[in-house]
Amino acid sequence: MAKINVEKAEGKLGILVVGVGGAVASTFIAGTLMARKGLGVPVGSITQLSTIKLSDGSTPKIKDVLPIAKLEDIVFGGWDIFEDNVYKAATHAAVLTQKDIDSVKDELEAIKPMQAAFDNKYVTRLHGTWVKKADTKWDLKDQLVADIKNFKEANGCSRVVVIWSASTEVYVPMAEVHKSLPAFQEAMKNNAAEVSPSMLYAYAAIESGCAFINGAPALTVDFPAMWELADEHNAPICGKDYKTGQTLMKTVLSPMMHTRMLGLQGWFSTNILGNRDGEVLDDPASFKTKEVSKLSVIDTILKKDEYPELYSNIYHKVRINYYPPRGDNKEGWDNIDIIGWMGYPMQIKVDFLCRDSILAAPLLLDLVLLADLSKRCGFKGIQSWLSFYFKSPMHPLDKQPVHDLFAQNIMLRKKMREIIGDEGYVNDYQEAEY
Ligand SMILES: NC(=O)c1ccc[n+]([C@@H]2O[C@H](COP(=O)([O-])OP(=O)(O)OC[C@H]3O[C@@H](n4cnc5c(N)ncnc54)[C@H](O)[C@@H]3O)[C@@H](O)[C@H]2O)c1
């Protein structure tokens, strides 16, 4: 294994969040500021809480051995289509209590969104008022590049990571313009419909040499033209769609069925949620993007081609229903029809009463720290070791993604040990000692 030379995490790390006024973004930012003041525990964050097994038998905390940036060194910024500062946004989202939000009021008030690159055709339920103007999508991208440069200079940052946590755009399938960099550049200059605003942020980040993370399910950075660009500018990229609630459960339960050779006949998943994300996903075109991301999981884990007698005929359905009274407190139901010995049917029911942004916030913290680390390690292009965090992990077109949460955990830790320079064999799971 070649030794990885990791550039030190010196100076400030800028985190630019697209959709900085959203529920997830404001919960992530407020929580991180609370954690660094010692006012709360960053529950759910692997980088902050988990230990790692090393080949000498020790189990130090990841944050003590992996050269990630310190929370104290982070500076937040971002873009939104509404002008509210992040204090107002967090209050509006009402995920955290007012008492918690007020505990970091000054810091939150100081984070004012930059004007967004937005087009209502791609998020039809929202009407932005804090939006950039330009003749072409190429020019809009240039404005975003200038934003990143100005933010970096104004805040004295040595590095910047850009993370998409904005609304889910309508479904834009991969087309010819996405398949090569020159074709995509031409499409930006010609205002082609296949170029959505999220792609402009991704392009601007990569062109600026920054790591880019896509937390939503849209195509955004997941096509050959962007991979080419990332390679050219030494930018690490990853996505898509934070793996938080229902899909997290799916990628835990499916490996159980597969490992025990239980059959699966059908999986019906439905959700109610009442936040702005739920309102956006109420539009069938935005839901389509989410549906594609949510549906891919089961087939890959169960390997129906290897086990046609167990998995060849699965009926898989996903529904998301906008139901305002619930706000951010989503409820996700799963009805799972499984098959046992001699083909006898059984059922599993899951009722997950979760909080969407509370589940997502620690993933954003880990992702920005690990994406910054990737950049300092000299990694570029798709970061498959970060698949752990995504519903629909990015992968080269000729490869299958890994969905099983525990397989993803092994990939994550293997790469962390490689970065630490721990070269011995480690099994991440407990083995009998007798
Ligand atoms: N919470 C979860 O568990 C979870 C899991 C996976 C993915 N996601 C995705 O994360 C994203 C954020 O979720 P949320 O609950 O915070 O939604 P939200 O609606 O509260 O926040 C989205 C924010 O993005 C802003 N926005 C929209 N288009 C923009 C643009 N072009 N530029 C800048 N800002 C823009 C909106 O004004 C809003 O403030 C969504 O796409 C959601 O699907 C969330």
Side-chain angles (χ1 to χ4, degrees):
M1 211 193 304
K3 189 170 165 11
I4 298 167
N5 287 318
V6 191
E7 217 177 89
K8 282 202 174 122
E10 276 168 348
K12 289 190 186 161
L13 170 63
I15 305 295
L16 287 177
V17 189
V18 191
V20 71
V24 169
S26 58
T27 307
F28 154 56
I29 295 173
T32 303
L33 295 170
M34 285 174 66
R36 80 179 182 197
K37 279 183 158 179
L39 298 175
V41 181
V43 177
S45 161
I46 311 299
T47 60
Q48 303 305 302
L49 298 185
S50 186
T51 59
I52 186 161
K53 204 196 285 183
L54 299 180
S55 54
D56 63 5
S58 63
T59 52
K61 283 238 183 205
I62 288 175
K63 66 175 180 183
D64 293 336
V65 284
L66 194 69
I68 50 175
K70 305 228 172 317
L71 299 190
E72 296 72 48
D73 291 336
I74 292 178
V75 188
F76 290 106
W79 298 267
D80 208 285
I81 63 172
F82 301 113
E83 204 180 345
D84 286 347
N85 66 48
V86 179
Y87 174 74
K88 272 197 181 162
T91 302
H92 172 79
V95 176
L96 300 174
T97 62
Q98 200 60 46
K99 184 168 165 266
D100 281 341
I101 297 169
D102 283 340
S103 70
V104 286
K105 183 175 180 184
D106 294 348
E107 294 95 319
L108 292 178
E109 264 179 347
I111 308 168
K112 300 188 171 77
M114 297 183 274
Q115 280 188 328
F118 178 75
D119 183 340
N120 163 264
K121 283 195 214 72
Y122 299 87
V123 183
T124 58
R125 296 284 154 106
L126 299 184
H127 302 275
T129 50
W130 189 237
V131 174
K132 292 186 193 305
K133 290 190 178 58
D135 288 339
T136 69
K137 296 185 178 187
W138 180 265
D139 297 340
L140 266 183
K141 179 272 298 175
D142 279 343
Q143 292 187 28
L144 295 170
V145 170
D147 286 348
I148 296 171
K149 184 169 177 281
N150 295 340
F151 176 86
K152 197 172 172 187
E153 282 170 13
N155 291 283
C157 297
S158 58
R159 295 109 52 216
V160 168
V161 169
V162 180
I163 183 164
W164 176 273
S165 195
S167 312
T168 298
E169 297 176 328
V170 300
Y171 186 56
V172 177
M174 189 157 351
E176 271 318 299
V177 303
H178 302 116
K179 293 190 180 154
S180 78
L181 191 50
F184 188 68
Q185 288 166 336
E186 205 47 41
M188 289 166 86
K189 289 173 187 162
N190 293 333
N191 289 334
E194 292 87 353
V195 181
S196 72
S198 67
M199 295 174 190
L200 305 181
Y201 288 98
Y203 196 109
I206 297 172
E207 189 187 304
S208 310
C210 302
F212 181 86
I213 302 155
N214 181 17
L219 197 59
T220 309
V221 70
D222 194 14
F223 53 91
M226 288 289 186
W227 305 340
E228 218 178 307
L229 189 72
D231 202 51
E232 220 172 80
H233 292 274
N234 299 316
I237 51 176
C238 58
K240 311 181 288 213
D241 209 6
Y242 309 123
K243 177 153 92 176
T244 48
Q246 199 162 52
T247 311
L248 178 68
M249 300 300 281
K250 259 181 201 165
T251 61
V252 170
L253 288 173
S254 310
M256 177 276 283
M257 288 168 208
H258 179 257
T259 307
R260 295 298 283 256
M261 288 286 102
L262 292 168
L264 179 67
Q265 217 177 10
W267 198 315
F268 183 83
S269 303
T270 186
N271 299 272
I272 53 172
L273 81 162
N275 55 15
R276 199 189 279 152
D277 187 31
E279 193 181 348
V280 168
L281 293 173
D282 208 38
D283 168 21
S286 284
F287 173 68
K288 170 83 182 154
T289 314
K290 197 63 140 185
E291 188 184 30
V292 170
S293 163
K294 278 180 167 254
L295 283 180
S296 62
V297 168
I298 296 181
D299 288 346
T300 331
I301 294 179
L302 296 178
K303 303 194 176 75
K304 71 171 182 205
D305 292 343
E306 259 177 64
Y307 303 101
E309 66 277 47
L310 298 178
Y311 306 122
S312 60
N313 211 7
I314 302 169
Y315 188 89
H316 188 192
K317 197 77 177 166
V318 179
R319 288 268 177 267
I320 297 181
N321 302 287
Y322 179 50
Y323 179 62
R326 279 299 167 87
D328 198 65
N329 297 349
K330 179 158 86 181
E331 182 160 3
W333 286 277
D334 287 281
N335 169 76
I336 311 156
D337 284 291
I338 64 169
I339 301 291
W341 182 246
M342 299 298 120
Y344 280 70
M346 296 175 275
Q347 293 181 12
I348 301 174
K349 311 272 182 195
V350 179
D351 185 3
F352 192 3
L353 290 107
C354 57
R355 289 169 187 263
D356 241 12
S357 304
I358 294 293
L359 288 171
L363 309 196
L364 275 80
L365 177 58
D366 283 357
L367 280 166
V368 295
L369 294 176
L370 296 175
D372 168 54
L373 176 63
S374 299
K375 173 77 188 173
R376 285 183 289 106
C377 287
F379 302 162
K380 57 182 177 176
I382 299 172
Q383 301 301 302
S384 56
W385 65 295
L386 300 177
S387 300
F388 181 75
Y389 294 101
F390 298 109
K391 270 194 199 73
S392 186
M394 279 168 58
H395 56 92
L397 294 176
D398 60 341
K399 299 271 189 310
Q400 282 285 336
V402 175
H403 283 291
D404 174 336
L405 185 78
F406 301 102
Q408 292 172 333
N409 183 41
I410 292 174
M411 286 158 59
L412 179 77
R413 285 162 186 277
K414 204 168 150 215
K415 184 62 83 181
M416 286 179 173
R417 280 192 288 270
E418 207 179 311
I419 295 170
I420 293 166
D422 186 45
E423 292 187 3
Y425 171 75
V426 175
N427 180 353
D428 277 303
Y429 290 98
Q430 193 181 355
E431 284 177 293
E433 288 171 357
Y434 47 90

